[in-house]
Amino acid sequence: MRDIQNEHDNREVPLQKVGVKGVRYPVCVLDKSKKNQNTTATVDLFVNLPHKFKGTHMSRFIEVFHKHHSNITMQHFLEMLEEIRTKLDAEKAFGSITFPYYIQKAAPVSGAEGIMEYICSYEGEVGEKERKFYITIEVPVTTLCPCSKAISEYGAHNQRGKVRVKLLYKDFFWIEDVIQMIEECASSPLYTVLKRQDEKEVTEHAYDNPRFVEDVVREVYLGLKKMNFAWFSVEAENAESIHNHNAYAYTSS
């Protein structure tokens, strides 16, 4: 059969990325307590395309990813991209997957069990001589305003926020350890199930640990530095409860 993708293109315009985007696929990732966790990822996979080729073979991206989808671990993600690069005869391959990661979490006093969702991403680039791999973890938290606490005769406004870290992969680590560290840097962690005694504990804990977004980013920065990541970035965004805008802070190592 005629293979139009491999035919010559005379416009002499190289494309930096071609491939598939927004693929929804079941995957299996590592879980610290249960060894493995099944979840669903949104997948983007690309290669570069030299100017002489008319197109790439889209089905090959899915074929390779399907081969690896039951073992999409940090260690194997770049191996999957290298296979895509080789199979499509490309100089570079790029890929990202974003997936919800679930952790069973007990309420602080009653011990009532619930499941928390955290959004994670793997992002990689593989060339003949260079490889880059980043992991992004997004953690929902509670923050209580230090200024509101300082100037108010009673109470203080608080809000739900998100902390997002992007980590350059060097050595293996557990996602759960990073999540726990981030939650400890906020005014309070979030929980799925809270009884009344838990709600009292969470409310008072947040009041005793007021944090601006600036405080959260600085504390997470110090926590990641202790974990010896080669490079990282930290951002925090609060959906302010008494303003019609969000508060935001960012830094990188």
Side-chain angles (χ1 to χ4, degrees), residues 5-229:
Q5 287 96 329
N6 273 342
E7 292 182 1
H8 185 79
D9 192 283
N10 58 14
R11 286 166 287 189
E12 297 186 348
V13 179
L15 302 179
Q16 294 178 355
K17 288 183 179 181
V18 297
V20 296
K21 189 177 177 67
V23 179
R24 296 279 290 171
Y25 223 81
V27 295
C28 183
V29 296
L30 290 180
D31 185 304
K32 187 176 182 180
S33 62
K34 298 179 180 178
K35 295 186 178 180
N36 295 292
Q37 180 176 144
N38 294 308
T39 183
T40 301
T42 300
V43 184
D44 300 335
L45 299 169
F46 314 106
V47 294
N48 71 302
L49 186 69
H51 69 85
K52 62 182 179 180
F53 292 116
K54 194 171 189 66
T56 191
H57 295 81
M58 300 294 181
S59 62
R60 295 180 186 175
F61 292 96
I62 307 301
E63 288 172 352
V64 175
F65 188 79
H66 178 76
K67 177 181 173 182
H68 292 269
H69 80 283
S70 60
N71 188 22
I72 296 293
T73 61
M74 295 178 189
Q75 299 99 315
H76 294 114
F77 189 75
L78 292 181
E79 294 177 13
M80 181 266 298
L81 289 182
E82 175 61 25
E83 187 171 340
I84 287 175
R85 187 185 77 84
T86 304
K87 193 159 189 176
L88 287 160
D89 195 24
E91 294 176 357
K92 288 186 176 182
F94 312 85
S96 67
I97 65 170
T98 301
F99 55 92
Y101 189 77
Y102 298 99
I103 297 178
Q104 188 163 313
K105 193 173 181 182
V109 179
S110 70
E113 296 282 354
I115 295 177
M116 282 289 297
E117 179 191 62
Y118 304 89
I119 304 301
C120 300
S121 298
Y122 295 167
E123 180 183 352
E125 176 182 333
V126 171
E128 292 182 3
K129 297 181 180 180
E130 186 179 20
R131 292 185 169 197
K132 296 179 182 177
F133 182 34
Y134 298 92
I135 296 93
T136 299
I137 304 170
E138 183 179 287
V139 181
V141 297
T142 291
T143 59
L144 184 133
C145 178
C147 180
S148 177
K149 177 180 177 179
I151 64 176
S152 301
E153 293 185 11
Y154 50 88
H157 80 85
N158 57 12
Q159 49 275 319
R160 189 165 62 187
K162 292 182 179 179
V163 180
R164 185 181 296 107
V165 297
K166 186 174 184 177
L167 313 165
L168 177 62
Y169 181 83
K170 183 179 69 171
D171 299 313
F172 178 79
F173 65 92
W174 289 107
I175 289 174
E176 290 89 339
D177 294 342
V178 176
I179 290 173
Q180 181 180 352
M181 182 275 292
I182 292 171
E183 290 180 334
E184 291 172 354
C185 294
S187 296
S188 174
L190 295 184
Y191 299 88
T192 304
V193 179
L194 290 175
K195 302 296 186 180
R196 279 174 294 178
Q197 60 268 40
D198 300 310
E199 186 171 349
K200 178 179 185 297
E201 168 63 24
V202 169
T203 301
E204 293 175 348
H205 182 79
Y207 192 79
D208 290 336
N209 294 277
R211 295 283 192 274
F212 291 125
V213 286
E214 298 93 328
D215 296 316
V216 174
V217 167
R218 286 172 172 146
E219 291 297 322
V220 173
Y221 180 99
L222 295 175
L224 292 174
K225 196 172 182 180
K226 289 180 181 178
M227 299 175 82
N228 294 317
F229 287 103

